[in-house]
């Protein structure tokens, strides 16, 4: 197999935007490897609108948003292989993949961009009690069945978890004629965007029960009923608060995990908080020339931010291919403390960073009348106030290079502080 300057693993929105940006920055030889039978990633099954408000100032469906990038990839003549599963990535950037036409093959690359997206947390990972009947699906699987395969997973539905996919599927199942009895959420706040709670639950009269979990699943062949109960601050069910719902389907929307088996095989260090690679402001991992972007790096709520981040990864991969190096000089760690769960990137290269760098982050709880405050050493360099910060909504702060040039600064800290 021919050598490529840049191999991109995953042809979702992240892989597509990274490829286009690398081409704009002078990389001729690009190959996208995608295991599915078409480009576009998870967007192909997201037929609701709400995509692209930031990028195109229009409300598009997922497939429409993806199509705009796919057309440009085709116009640019960027190579891609579909139905091709990447099996392994080595630290020396040799990528092993297989498909029905080429069999198993290896491609040596100068740089690799990881853009494999994420997967849903399964029932096994959640330790739910009760029988193991048919009728239990992850929300994303149900979405694929309804929107791509034209099959209804069930008629009476309970949903556990209020992540965006669960909220969107509550509306989708209702529009297809199912009765969604309730959405139960373990945490005292929703894991999804506010706009999805309003548009997908409130508008259809679907109750959201916060601080609740599933304590029993009945049914030997098919789900017959699901019992939920209130949980205390220790997240353990409180006896006597059980409510039983007769239903034939339980959908799980309990979090997404970056697809990181390949990152691990490539020797990439993962963050224990995001489960995605640890990267610097160039979105480069600890392995020189391996970059990461999109949901494989950390789970995003909006695809527009995935596209922006991926464009940066493409630009930096191009720089690496040109110069053979990206990192040199002073590197400042970015510490997430006091209510901030993580930041991406988690380090910045002071001399090489652009004039501004966007740091994306999530908070660990709901905070009211607070600010996200950034310190360079002891000096405050940024403060962004907001009425409410919630874990379901990704936040960002902008770092300015001019604020970081002082040689005495040894670290950056980002924290939540109470206002007034
Ligand atoms: C149900 C749902 C609803 C959403 N709603 C919205 C919304 O309303 N608005 C919005 O802006 N965003 C929304 N999003 C978010 C948006 O879809 C994601 O942020 C975006 O798709 C992430 O892009 P990605 O390229 O990182 O990952 P993906 O889209 O998951 O693409 C990753 C690609 O990598 C491929 N891949 C993985 N492993 C391999 C391998 N080993 N070999 C080859 N290929 C591989 C996969 O097949 C996939 O095509 C939603 C997401 C979901 C799941």
């Amino acid at each position: 197999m021919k050598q490529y300057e840049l191999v991109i693993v995953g042809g979702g929105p992240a892989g597509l935007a990274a490829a286009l940006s690398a081409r704009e920055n002078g990389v001729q030889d690009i190959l996208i490897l995608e295991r599915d039978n078409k480009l576009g990633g998870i967007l192909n099954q997201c037929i609701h609108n709400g995509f692209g408000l930031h990028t195109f100032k229009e409300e598009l469906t997922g497939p429409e948003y993806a199509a705009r990038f796919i057309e440009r990839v085709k116009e640019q003549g960027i190579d891609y292989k579909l139905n091709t599963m990447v099996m392994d990535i080595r630290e020396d950037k040799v990528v092993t993949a297989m498909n029905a036409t080429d069999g198993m093959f290896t491609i040596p690359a100068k740089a690799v961009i990881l853009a494999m997206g994420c997967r849903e947390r399964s029932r096994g990972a959640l330790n739910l009690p009760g029988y193991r009947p048919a009728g239990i699906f992850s929300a994303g699987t149900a979405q694929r069945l309804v929107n791509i395969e034209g099959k209804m997973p069930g008629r009476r539905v309970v949903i556990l978890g209020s992540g965006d996919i669960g909220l969107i599927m509550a509306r989708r199942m209702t529009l297809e004629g199912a009765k969604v009895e309730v959405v139960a959420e373990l945490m005292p706040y929703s894991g999804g965007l506010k706009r999805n709670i309003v548009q997908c639950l409130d508008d259809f009269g679907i109750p959201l029960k916060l601080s609740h979990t599933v304590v029993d699943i009945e049914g030997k062949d098919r789900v017959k009923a699901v019992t939920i109960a209130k949980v205390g601050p220790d997240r353990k069910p409180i006896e006597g608060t059980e409510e039983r719902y007769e239903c034939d389907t339980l959908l799980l929307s309990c979090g997404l995990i970056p697809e990181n088996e390949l990152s691990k095989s490539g020797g990439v260090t993962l963050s224990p908080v995001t489960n995605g690679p640890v990267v610097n402001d160039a979105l480069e991992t600890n392995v020189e020339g391996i970059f990461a972007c999109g949901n494989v790096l950390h789970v995003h709520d909006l695809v527009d931010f995935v596209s922006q981040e991926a464009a940066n990864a493409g630009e930096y991969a191009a720089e690496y291919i040109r110069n053979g190096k990206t990192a040199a000089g002073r590197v400042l760690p970015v510490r997430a403390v006091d209510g901030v769960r993580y930041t991406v990137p988690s380090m910045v290269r002071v001399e090489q960073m652009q004039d501004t760098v966007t740091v994306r982050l999530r908070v660990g709880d709901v905070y009211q009348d607070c600010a996200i405050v950034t310190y360079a050493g002891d000096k405050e360099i940024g403060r962004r106030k907001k009425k409410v910060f919630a874990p379901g909504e990704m936040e960002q702060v902008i770092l300015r290079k001019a604020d970081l040039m002082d040689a005495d600064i040894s670290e950056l800290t980002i924290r939540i502080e109470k206002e007034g």
Side-chain angles (χ1 to χ4, degrees), residues 9-15 33-36 38 40-43 45-46 48-52 84-87 115-118 140 143 164-165 168 195-196 256 259 262 293-296 300-304 306:
V9 187
L33 296 172
E34 169 55 55
R35 68 182 170 193
D36 212 339
K38 48 173 150 351
I42 199 77
L43 294 187
Q45 67 182 60
C46 299
H48 57 281
N49 60 359
F51 294 83
T84 303
M85 181 82 181
V86 176
M87 315 291 292
M116 294 90 75
C118 58
Q143 187 181 50
D164 287 314
I165 316 179
I168 281 159
R195 78 170 194 213
N196 283 337
L256 300 164
E259 281 282 8
L262 292 174
C293 56
N295 277 357
V296 80
H300 295 64
D301 337 307
L302 293 183
V303 72
D304 305 76
V306 169

Coordinates of all heavy atoms in Angstrom, one line a residue, residues 9-15 33-36 38 40-43 45-46 48-52 84-87 115-118 140 143 164-165 168 195-196 256 259 262 293-296 300-304 306, ligand 1:
V9 N -8.2 8.6 10.8 CA -9.0 7.5 11.1 C -10.4 8.0 11.5 O -10.5 8.6 12.6 CB -8.3 6.7 12.3 CG1 -9.1 5.4 12.5 CG2 -6.9 6.4 12.0
G10 N -11.4 7.7 10.7 CA -12.7 8.1 11.0 C -13.2 9.2 10.0 O -12.5 10.2 9.8
G11 N -14.3 8.9 9.3 CA -14.8 9.8 8.3 C -16.1 10.5 8.7 O -17.0 10.8 8.0
G12 N -16.1 10.8 10.1 CA -17.3 11.6 10.6 C -16.9 13.1 10.4 O -16.0 13.5 9.7
P13 N -17.7 14.0 11.0 CA -17.5 15.4 10.9 C -16.1 15.8 11.3 O -15.5 16.7 10.6 CB -18.5 16.1 11.8 CG -19.3 15.0 12.4 CD -19.0 13.7 11.8
A14 N -15.5 15.2 12.3 CA -14.1 15.6 12.7 C -13.1 15.2 11.6 O -12.3 16.0 11.2 CB -13.8 14.9 14.0
G15 N -13.2 14.0 11.1 CA -12.3 13.5 10.1 C -12.4 14.3 8.8 O -11.4 14.7 8.2
L33 N -9.8 6.9 6.4 CA -10.3 5.5 6.5 C -11.5 5.4 7.4 O -11.6 5.9 8.5 CB -9.2 4.6 7.2 CG -7.9 4.5 6.4 CD1 -6.8 3.8 7.2 CD2 -8.1 3.8 5.1
E34 N -12.6 4.8 6.8 CA -13.9 4.8 7.5 C -14.5 3.4 7.5 O -14.6 2.8 6.4 CB -14.9 5.8 6.8 CG -16.3 5.8 7.2 CD -16.6 5.9 8.7 OE1 -16.1 6.9 9.3 OE2 -17.2 5.0 9.3
R35 N -14.9 2.9 8.7 CA -15.4 1.6 8.8 C -16.8 1.4 8.2 O -17.3 0.4 7.9 CB -15.3 1.1 10.2 CG -16.3 1.7 11.1 CD -16.1 1.3 12.6 NE -16.9 2.1 13.4 CZ -16.9 2.2 14.7 NH1 -16.0 1.4 15.4 NH2 -17.6 3.0 15.4
D36 N -17.6 2.5 8.2 CA -19.0 2.5 7.8 C -19.0 2.5 6.2 O -18.0 2.7 5.6 CB -19.7 3.7 8.3 CG -21.2 3.4 8.6 OD1 -21.7 2.4 8.0 OD2 -21.8 4.1 9.4
K38 N -20.6 4.7 4.4 CA -20.6 6.1 3.9 C -19.8 7.0 4.8 O -19.7 6.7 6.0 CB -21.9 6.6 3.6 CG -23.0 6.4 4.6 CD -24.2 7.1 4.1 CE -25.6 6.7 4.5 NZ -26.1 5.6 5.1
G40 N -19.6 10.7 7.0 CA -20.6 11.5 7.7 C -20.7 11.1 9.2 O -21.2 11.9 10.0
G41 N -20.2 9.9 9.5 CA -20.3 9.5 10.9 C -21.7 9.4 11.5 O -22.6 9.1 10.8
I42 N -21.8 9.8 12.8 CA -23.0 9.6 13.5 C -24.1 10.6 13.0 O -25.3 10.4 13.1 CB -22.8 9.9 15.0 CG1 -23.9 9.3 15.9 CG2 -22.6 11.3 15.4 CD1 -23.8 7.8 16.0
L43 N -23.7 11.6 12.2 CA -24.6 12.6 11.7 C -25.6 11.9 10.7 O -26.8 12.4 10.6 CB -23.9 13.7 10.9 CG -23.0 14.7 11.8 CD1 -22.5 15.8 10.9 CD2 -23.8 15.2 13.0
Q45 N -27.4 9.4 11.1 CA -28.6 9.0 11.7 C -29.3 10.1 12.5 O -30.4 9.8 13.1 CB -28.3 7.8 12.7 CG -27.5 8.0 13.9 CD -27.2 6.8 14.7 OE1 -26.6 5.8 14.2 NE2 -27.6 6.8 15.9
C46 N -28.8 11.3 12.5 CA -29.4 12.4 13.3 C -30.2 13.2 12.3 O -29.7 14.3 11.9 CB -28.3 13.2 13.9 SG -27.2 12.4 15.0
H48 N -32.8 14.9 12.8 CA -33.5 16.1 13.4 C -32.6 17.4 12.9 O -31.5 17.2 12.5 CB -33.5 16.0 14.9 CG -32.2 15.8 15.5 ND1 -31.6 14.6 15.6 CD2 -31.4 16.7 16.1 CE1 -30.4 14.7 16.2 NE2 -30.3 16.0 16.5
N49 N -33.3 18.5 13.1 CA -32.5 19.8 12.8 C -31.8 20.3 14.0 O -31.8 19.7 15.1 CB -33.4 20.8 12.2 CG -34.5 21.2 13.2 OD1 -34.6 20.7 14.3 ND2 -35.4 22.1 12.8
G50 N -31.0 21.4 13.8 CA -30.3 21.9 15.0 C -28.8 21.9 14.7 O -28.0 22.2 15.6
F51 N -28.4 21.4 13.6 CA -26.9 21.4 13.3 C -26.5 22.6 12.5 O -27.2 23.0 11.6 CB -26.6 20.1 12.5 CG -26.8 18.8 13.2 CD1 -28.1 18.3 13.3 CD2 -25.8 18.2 13.9 CE1 -28.4 17.1 14.0 CE2 -26.0 17.0 14.6 CZ -27.3 16.5 14.7
G52 N -25.3 23.1 12.8 CA -24.7 24.1 11.9 C -25.1 25.5 12.2 O -24.8 26.4 11.4
T84 N -13.8 0.1 5.7 CA -12.5 -0.2 6.1 C -12.2 0.1 7.6 O -12.4 1.2 8.1 CB -11.5 0.7 5.3 OG1 -11.8 0.5 3.9 CG2 -10.0 0.4 5.5
M85 N -11.9 -1.0 8.3 CA -11.7 -1.0 9.7 C -10.3 -0.8 10.0 O -9.5 -1.6 9.6 CB -12.3 -2.3 10.3 CG -12.2 -2.3 11.8 SD -13.6 -1.5 12.5 CE -13.3 -1.7 14.2
V86 N -9.9 0.3 10.8 CA -8.5 0.4 11.2 C -8.4 -0.5 12.5 O -9.2 -0.4 13.4 CB -8.2 1.9 11.5 CG1 -6.8 2.0 12.1 CG2 -8.3 2.7 10.3
M87 N -7.4 -1.4 12.4 CA -7.2 -2.4 13.5 C -6.1 -1.9 14.5 O -6.1 -2.3 15.6 CB -6.7 -3.7 12.9 CG -7.5 -4.2 11.6 SD -9.2 -4.6 12.1 CE -8.9 -6.1 13.0
A115 N -9.8 10.4 14.7 CA -11.2 11.0 14.6 C -12.2 9.9 14.7 O -13.2 9.9 13.9 CB -11.3 11.9 13.4
M116 N -12.1 9.0 15.7 CA -13.0 7.8 15.7 C -14.3 8.0 16.4 O -15.1 7.1 16.6 CB -12.2 6.6 16.4 CG -11.0 6.1 15.6 SD -9.5 6.9 16.1 CE -9.2 6.2 17.7
G117 N -14.5 9.2 17.0 CA -15.8 9.5 17.6 C -15.9 8.7 19.0 O -14.9 8.4 19.6
C118 N -17.1 8.5 19.4 CA -17.3 7.8 20.7 C -18.4 6.8 20.6 O -19.1 6.7 19.6 CB -17.6 8.9 21.8 SG -19.1 9.8 21.4
G140 N -28.8 5.5 21.0 CA -28.2 5.6 19.6 C -28.6 4.4 18.7 O -28.8 4.6 17.5
Q143 N -32.0 5.0 17.7 CA -32.0 6.0 16.7 C -31.7 5.5 15.3 O -32.3 5.8 14.3 CB -31.0 7.1 17.0 CG -31.1 8.3 16.1 CD -30.1 9.4 16.6 OE1 -28.9 9.1 16.7 NE2 -30.5 10.6 16.7
D164 N -28.2 14.0 25.5 CA -28.9 14.6 24.4 C -29.6 13.5 23.5 O -30.6 13.6 22.9 CB -28.0 15.4 23.5 CG -27.7 16.7 24.2 OD1 -28.7 17.4 24.7 OD2 -26.6 17.1 24.3
I165 N -28.9 12.3 23.4 CA -29.4 11.3 22.5 C -30.8 10.8 23.0 O -31.7 10.6 22.3 CB -28.5 10.1 22.3 CG1 -27.0 10.6 22.0 CG2 -28.9 9.2 21.1 CD1 -26.0 9.5 21.9
I168 N -33.5 13.4 22.5 CA -33.9 13.4 21.1 C -34.7 12.2 20.7 O -35.7 12.3 20.0 CB -32.7 13.6 20.2 CG1 -32.3 15.1 20.2 CG2 -32.9 13.2 18.7 CD1 -30.9 15.4 19.8
R195 N -32.0 23.4 25.6 CA -32.9 23.5 24.4 C -33.5 22.1 24.1 O -34.7 22.0 23.6 CB -32.2 24.1 23.2 CG -31.3 23.1 22.4 CD -30.8 23.7 21.1 NE -30.2 22.7 20.3 CZ -29.2 22.8 19.4 NH1 -28.7 24.0 19.3 NH2 -28.8 21.8 18.7
N196 N -32.8 21.0 24.3 CA -33.3 19.7 24.0 C -34.4 19.3 25.1 O -35.3 18.6 24.8 CB -32.2 18.7 23.9 CG -31.5 18.7 22.6 OD1 -32.0 19.2 21.6 ND2 -30.2 18.3 22.6
L256 N -21.4 8.9 27.0 CA -20.6 8.5 25.8 C -19.2 8.3 26.2 O -18.7 9.0 27.1 CB -20.7 9.5 24.7 CG -22.2 9.8 24.2 CD1 -22.3 11.1 23.5 CD2 -22.6 8.6 23.3
E259 N -13.9 6.4 21.7 CA -13.4 5.1 21.1 C -11.9 5.1 21.1 O -11.3 5.5 20.1 CB -13.8 5.1 19.6 CG -15.2 4.7 19.3 CD -15.5 3.2 19.4 OE1 -14.7 2.5 19.9 OE2 -16.6 2.9 19.0
L262 N -7.7 2.3 19.7 CA -6.5 2.6 18.7 C -5.6 3.6 19.3 O -4.4 3.5 19.1 CB -7.1 3.1 17.4 CG -7.9 2.1 16.6 CD1 -8.5 2.9 15.4 CD2 -7.0 1.0 16.1
C293 N -9.0 14.8 17.5 CA -10.1 15.8 17.5 C -11.5 15.2 17.5 O -11.6 14.0 17.1 CB -9.9 16.7 16.2 SG -9.9 15.8 14.7
G294 N -12.5 16.0 17.8 CA -13.8 15.5 17.8 C -14.2 14.7 19.0 O -13.5 14.8 20.1
N295 N -15.2 13.8 18.9 CA -15.6 13.1 20.1 C -14.6 12.0 20.6 O -14.8 11.6 21.7 CB -17.0 12.4 19.8 CG -18.1 13.4 19.9 OD1 -17.9 14.5 20.3 ND2 -19.3 13.0 19.6
V296 N -13.6 11.7 19.8 CA -12.6 10.8 20.3 C -11.7 11.4 21.4 O -11.2 10.8 22.2 CB -11.8 10.1 19.2 CG1 -10.7 11.1 18.7 CG2 -11.2 8.8 19.6
H300 N -18.4 16.2 22.6 CA -18.9 17.5 22.3 C -20.5 17.5 22.3 O -21.1 16.5 22.0 CB -18.5 18.0 21.0 CG -17.0 18.2 20.8 ND1 -16.1 17.1 21.0 CD2 -16.2 19.3 20.5 CE1 -14.9 17.6 20.8 NE2 -14.9 18.9 20.5
D301 N -21.1 18.7 22.6 CA -22.6 18.7 22.4 C -22.9 19.2 21.0 O -23.9 18.8 20.5 CB -23.3 19.7 23.4 CG -22.5 20.1 24.6 OD1 -22.1 19.2 25.3 OD2 -22.3 21.3 24.9
L302 N -22.1 20.1 20.4 CA -22.4 20.6 19.1 C -21.4 20.3 18.1 O -20.2 20.4 18.3 CB -22.5 22.2 19.3 CG -23.7 22.7 20.1 CD1 -23.7 24.2 20.1 CD2 -25.0 22.1 19.6
V303 N -21.9 19.9 16.9 CA -21.0 19.5 15.9 C -20.1 20.7 15.4 O -19.0 20.5 14.9 CB -21.8 18.8 14.8 CG1 -22.6 19.8 13.9 CG2 -20.8 18.0 13.9
D304 N -20.7 21.9 15.5 CA -19.9 23.1 15.0 C -18.5 23.1 15.7 O -17.5 23.5 15.1 CB -20.7 24.3 15.3 CG -22.1 24.3 14.7 OD1 -22.9 23.6 15.3 OD2 -22.3 24.9 13.7
V306 N -16.9 20.6 17.0 CA -16.1 19.5 16.5 C -15.4 19.9 15.2 O -14.2 19.7 15.0 CB -17.0 18.3 16.2 CG1 -16.3 17.2 15.4 CG2 -17.6 17.7 17.5
Ligands
LIG1 C1 -28.0 11.3 18.8 C2 -27.1 12.5 18.6 C3 -27.7 13.7 18.5 C4 -26.9 14.8 18.2 N1 -27.5 16.0 18.0 C5 -26.8 17.1 17.7 C6 -27.4 18.4 17.4 O1 -28.6 18.5 17.4 N2 -26.6 19.4 17.1 C7 -25.3 19.3 17.0 O2 -24.6 20.3 16.7 N3 -24.6 18.1 17.4 C8 -25.4 17.0 17.7 N4 -24.8 15.8 18.0 C9 -23.3 15.8 18.1 C10 -22.5 15.5 16.8 O3 -23.2 14.6 16.1 C11 -21.2 14.9 17.2 O4 -20.6 15.9 18.0 C12 -20.3 14.6 16.0 O5 -20.9 13.7 15.1 C13 -18.9 14.1 16.4 O6 -18.1 13.9 15.3 P1 -16.9 12.9 15.2 O7 -16.4 12.9 13.8 O8 -16.0 13.2 16.3 O9 -17.6 11.5 15.5 P2 -18.5 10.5 14.7 O10 -19.6 11.3 14.0 O11 -19.0 9.5 15.7 O12 -17.6 9.9 13.6 C14 -16.6 9.0 13.9 C15 -16.3 8.1 12.7 O13 -15.2 7.2 12.9 C16 -15.5 6.0 12.4 N5 -14.6 5.0 13.1 C17 -14.5 4.7 14.4 N6 -13.6 3.8 14.7 C18 -13.1 3.4 13.5 C19 -12.1 2.5 13.0 N7 -11.4 1.7 13.9 N8 -11.8 2.4 11.7 C20 -12.4 3.2 10.8 N9 -13.4 4.1 11.1 C21 -13.7 4.2 12.4 C22 -17.0 5.8 12.7 O14 -17.5 4.8 11.9 C23 -17.5 7.1 12.5 O15 -18.0 7.3 11.1 C24 -25.5 14.7 18.2 C25 -24.9 13.4 18.4 C26 -25.7 12.3 18.6 C27 -25.0 11.0 18.8

